[in-house]
Amino acid sequence: MATVDLRPDAGPYGSTEACLKFWDAGSSGQESEASTSSGSGFALNTRVDEPHRDLVSALVYHPTRDLAVTTGGSGSESEFKVWIQERRAGAPGSGSGRRAGEPPSTHWRCRSTGGYKGLPLGAAAFSADGSVLAVAAASRVTLWDVESNALAAALPAAVPTTSAAAAAAPLTSLAFVPGTPFLAAASPSCVAVYNLLTAAVHWCLPYGAVSITADAAYGLLAAALPAPPPAAGPVAAAADVAAGEEGAAAEEPEAAGAGPASTAAATAAAAQRRRQAARAAHGAAAAAGCHVLVFDPRDATPKYHCHVAGASHVHLAALPSAAGGGSGTAAGCSPLLILRDNRQYSVAAVPGSAASAASATGEEAAGSIPKEETLSVFEATFGKVAAGAGGAAAMDVDGGAGVGGKARWAELFDAPSHVLPPPTALAHAFLTLLTTTPDS
């Protein structure tokens, strides 16, 4: 196991110290007294102070080997480091065990480093088999060979830009979707899925995500998107009032000829009002919560959705499905662990699954993940058709099935694009098939 400890510096420069720690899983006679009493079963193996010149922005562990990658640094000094575990010279074999007080038989060291064009590196992820390492370089994704540390490919930015002023937001999360050729990336401005077979963006949504995770059991992608805050009237009014009062407080002592003490008091009061307005804005965003969407990476249409109230920033993790399957497995989505900033968590699952949706803190759970309703072309264009007041059944909007069980209108487009007639020639036939049935 690998962890990163951060300790803010209370000194005049306000820097933050980082410490990278590697741990060994405890065995008989190996764990320390502290780890044994807490039941964690881990003993410290190697400690690395300040692994990067700045904060550590990402830490990922190899899925099958004792190998880890960290990213950090700022500006042109940003880099990623590959850490490996090695046996110490003269150390006893693995079967001899480690007695209390003895040093570990292995240690961790930095094997190699890498960077990309001096861009800041902010996220990293391993493929399911561990052969490919993806590292986010600003708004681009770079792919590296794990063994040789060689650059394999550089994927384009999800939001193409033409000027530095309109630069795309840096990527904050990466996730390979096991069993598929897709790689997901998230930033404060978009959620994108890359097709690694074509080395291009497969689809992109212009919505910022705070967390993404891959469901290895079903090849799905889950993303947490902050919900839009409520009407900004009260919050904006509070901010405007604070700004206006700050200007009035700054001008009033000067006009009255007040001394420095009065000016300092007015400045402190204005700062207090600004903090109150900021807290009000943060509270409004937290009250709006966030939306958790589950996608099939082949399509940008969500399959499942749930709303998490009272938290604007969460972290997602897909939980393994129960052995032997069950109703949750049949629905085709693993339960999702939703971790909040206040260390509370809840589990969201598809309706009818065996996974409990109760929060560990006793509060109401985030709720089940209902399956998104599939709409026909007519309903997607003009809205869902509801039954009349007299109880009449809704009309058959699909107009019956055609050859092979497909809708009849689909046959109009069942041809290569270069041989299809222009849309103006197909419009009349398309609308006729939508609004009529085979019997009419």
Side-chain angles (χ1 to χ4, degrees):
M1 181 176 70
T3 61
V4 174
D5 296 344
L6 297 179
R7 185 176 63 181
D9 187 4
Y13 299 103
S15 60
T16 301
E17 298 179 0
C19 177
L20 174 64
K21 295 181 180 180
F22 295 97
W23 305 79
D24 291 334
S27 59
S28 177
Q30 182 172 346
E31 58 266 29
S32 63
E33 182 180 353
S35 62
T36 303
S37 60
S38 63
S40 62
F42 287 92
L44 182 62
N45 179 291
T46 304
R47 169 176 175 155
V48 182
D49 293 323
E50 301 295 340
H52 295 275
R53 290 188 176 92
D54 203 342
L55 293 181
V56 178
S57 56
L59 167 63
V60 290
Y61 207 95
H62 195 277
T64 61
R65 296 170 47 190
D66 289 327
L67 183 147
V69 171
T70 59
T71 62
S74 59
S76 60
E77 296 181 348
S78 184
E79 61 184 357
F80 70 88
K81 293 185 177 181
V82 180
W83 306 85
I84 59 173
Q85 187 180 34
E86 290 185 337
R87 181 164 298 279
R88 296 180 185 272
S94 58
S96 60
R98 171 184 166 192
R99 297 181 178 85
E102 287 186 354
S105 59
T106 61
H107 71 284
W108 289 77
R109 70 172 182 88
C110 179
R111 185 197 69 181
S112 56
T113 64
Y116 184 74
K117 297 185 177 180
L119 297 176
L121 307 182
F126 281 107
S127 60
D129 61 356
S131 61
V132 179
L133 170 67
V135 179
S139 60
R140 304 189 63 179
V141 179
T142 58
L143 303 178
W144 302 79
D145 182 87
V146 176
E147 297 297 333
S148 62
N149 205 45
L151 179 65
L155 305 181
V159 182
T161 57
T162 56
S163 64
L171 299 176
T172 56
S173 300
L174 296 175
F176 284 90
V177 183
T180 71
F182 298 108
L183 169 66
S187 74
S189 62
C190 71
V191 177
V193 170
Y194 292 88
N195 189 335
L196 299 182
L197 299 180
T198 60
V201 178
H202 189 61
W203 56 263
C204 180
L205 295 178
Y207 302 104
V210 295
S211 178
I212 60 174
T213 188
D215 182 357
Y218 299 100
L220 300 177
L221 171 68
L225 282 64
V235 177
D240 292 341
V241 169
E245 291 179 351
E246 176 186 0
E251 294 175 0
E252 183 178 355
E254 181 179 358
S262 301
T263 304
T267 304
Q272 178 66 20
R273 287 189 290 270
R274 286 198 303 272
R275 287 192 294 269
Q276 292 176 352
R279 283 195 296 266
H282 178 75
C290 65
H291 296 282
V292 177
L293 305 177
V294 180
F295 300 88
D296 185 328
R298 301 169 185 82
D299 188 10
T301 303
K303 293 174 63 68
Y304 305 98
H305 162 264
C306 75
H307 178 254
V308 182
S312 59
H313 190 283
V314 298
H315 184 77
L316 302 178
L319 300 176
S321 300
S327 58
T329 303
C333 180
S334 299
L336 291 176
L337 176 69
I338 304 174
L339 178 64
R340 311 185 184 197
D341 282 344
N342 58 4
R343 299 183 181 180
Q344 297 177 351
Y345 69 89
S346 54
V347 177
V350 293
S353 65
S356 173
S359 173
T361 59
E363 64 175 4
E364 295 185 0
S368 60
I369 307 179
K371 183 173 177 58
E372 292 293 321
E373 182 179 5
T374 302
L375 301 178
S376 65
V377 174
F378 187 88
E379 290 177 331
T381 305
F382 300 102
K384 187 175 181 180
V385 179
M395 62 178 292
D396 184 7
V397 296
D398 283 334
V403 179
K406 297 190 299 183
R408 293 189 301 152
W409 54 263
E411 301 174 17
L412 291 174
F413 308 99
D414 193 8
S417 59
H418 64 278
V419 300
L420 283 176
T424 53
L426 295 175
H428 179 72
F430 177 67
L431 294 176
T432 300
L433 292 174
L434 278 178
T435 56
T436 60
T437 64
D439 299 332
S440 60

